[in-house]
């Protein structure tokens, strides 16, 4: 879980940040990215990809990380308007850049989950499924996931009819049923097909034979 960090250090990097996002797939709510810089000689028994952890484990690791000396982190958020205006990929890149800009110290090398991010102007290493291969990315994964889940709980208080507290905006059968019953809310992503169809139902024309 530190081999990519060690390789970057060996190649001359001095400050390494991991970056990951949460919320690219949901039909509602923001996309949240986090940047994380681990303390030297970091070790952890359970930290891994946030999707492989239970909610309780994520909360516990979040609390532990954010209370750790020399652990630097920041989050970036792209809201629904940004997602609908620029598309989810560019909104995710923007959130990642905002997270990097928010760090107290600035890295000279970035480990990114997935593919390269064009907006990042420092040296980067893109790692497919990096949140399960790098502690730095895994830490960012947990920070991003916990932050977004908490935001969705707040959104649930505003729009309880969709039950965002349960599905966090993902397109579950329950969510799709509520979307069909109540229509989209202001926090739904209108550029996503299931939401767009709820606004503009498909018109079927019947041709007489």
């Amino acid at each position: 879980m530190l081999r990519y960090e060690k390789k970057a250090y060996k190649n001359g990097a001095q400050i390494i940040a991991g970056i990951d996002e949460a919320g690219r797939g949901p039909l509602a709510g923001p996309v949240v990215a986090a940047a994380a810089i681990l303390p030297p000689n970091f070790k952890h028994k359970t930290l891994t990809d946030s999707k492989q952890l239970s909610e309780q484990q994520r909360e516990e690791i979040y609390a532990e990380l954010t209370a750790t000396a020399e652990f630097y982190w920041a989050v970036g958020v792209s809201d629904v308007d940004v997602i609908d205006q620029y598309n989810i990929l560019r909104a995710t890149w923007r959130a990642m850049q905002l997270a990097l800009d928010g760090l107290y110290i600035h890295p000279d090398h970035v480990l990114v989950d997935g593919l390269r991010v064009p907006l990042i102007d420092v040296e980067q290493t893109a790692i497919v499924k990096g949140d399960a291969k790098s502690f730095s990315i895994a830490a960012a994964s947990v920070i991003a996931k916990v932050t977004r889940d908490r935001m969705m709980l707040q959104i649930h208080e505003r729009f309880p009819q969709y039950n965002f507290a349960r599905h966090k905006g993902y397109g579950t059968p329950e969510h799709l049923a509520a979307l069909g019953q109540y229509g989209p809310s202001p926090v739904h992503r209108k550029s996503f097909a299931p939401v767009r169809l709820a606004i503009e139902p498909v018109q079927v024309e019947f041709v007489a034979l």
Side-chain angles (χ1 to χ4, degrees), residues 111-183:
L111 303 178
V112 183
D113 182 50
L115 304 178
R116 288 181 58 84
V117 179
L119 294 184
I120 295 176
D121 58 3
V122 299
E123 187 173 352
Q124 61 179 287
T125 299
I127 308 169
V128 176
K129 297 183 179 179
D131 42 12
K133 300 175 181 177
S134 159
F135 269 146
S136 296
I137 297 177
S141 173
V142 169
I143 296 293
K145 175 63 173 170
V146 171
T147 299
R148 186 180 187 277
D149 282 357
R150 292 177 178 180
M151 295 176 72
M152 294 308 296
L153 290 177
Q154 293 176 344
I155 291 174
H156 172 81
E157 296 299 320
R158 295 169 54 197
F159 307 103
Q161 65 270 36
Y162 300 98
N163 203 8
F164 289 128
R166 181 188 298 273
H167 51 69
K168 306 301 188 296
Y170 284 88
T172 64
E174 176 190 14
H175 186 187
L176 293 174
L179 187 60
Q181 180 176 358
Y182 301 107

Side-chain angles (χ1 to χ4, degrees), residues 29-107:
V31 59
V32 176
I37 299 174
L38 298 175
N41 304 314
F42 178 83
K43 296 180 181 180
H44 204 281
K45 293 182 178 180
T46 57
L47 176 60
T48 186
D49 171 12
S50 64
K51 295 185 291 297
Q52 299 180 23
L53 301 169
S54 68
E55 181 177 358
Q56 180 178 345
Q57 286 176 316
R58 289 194 297 267
E59 287 285 350
E60 290 173 352
I61 293 173
Y62 178 97
E64 180 183 350
L65 289 173
T66 56
T68 299
E70 297 185 81
F71 175 71
Y72 299 95
W73 61 281
V75 297
V77 178
S78 287
D79 63 18
V80 174
D81 290 338
V82 173
I83 293 170
D84 285 341
Q85 181 175 358
Y86 294 103
N87 77 42
I88 185 60
L89 180 59
R90 292 182 179 275
T92 301
W93 291 346
R94 174 183 178 274
M96 289 179 168
Q97 185 60 60
L98 288 172
L100 275 178
D101 291 344
L103 287 170
Y104 179 72
I105 56 177
H106 296 289

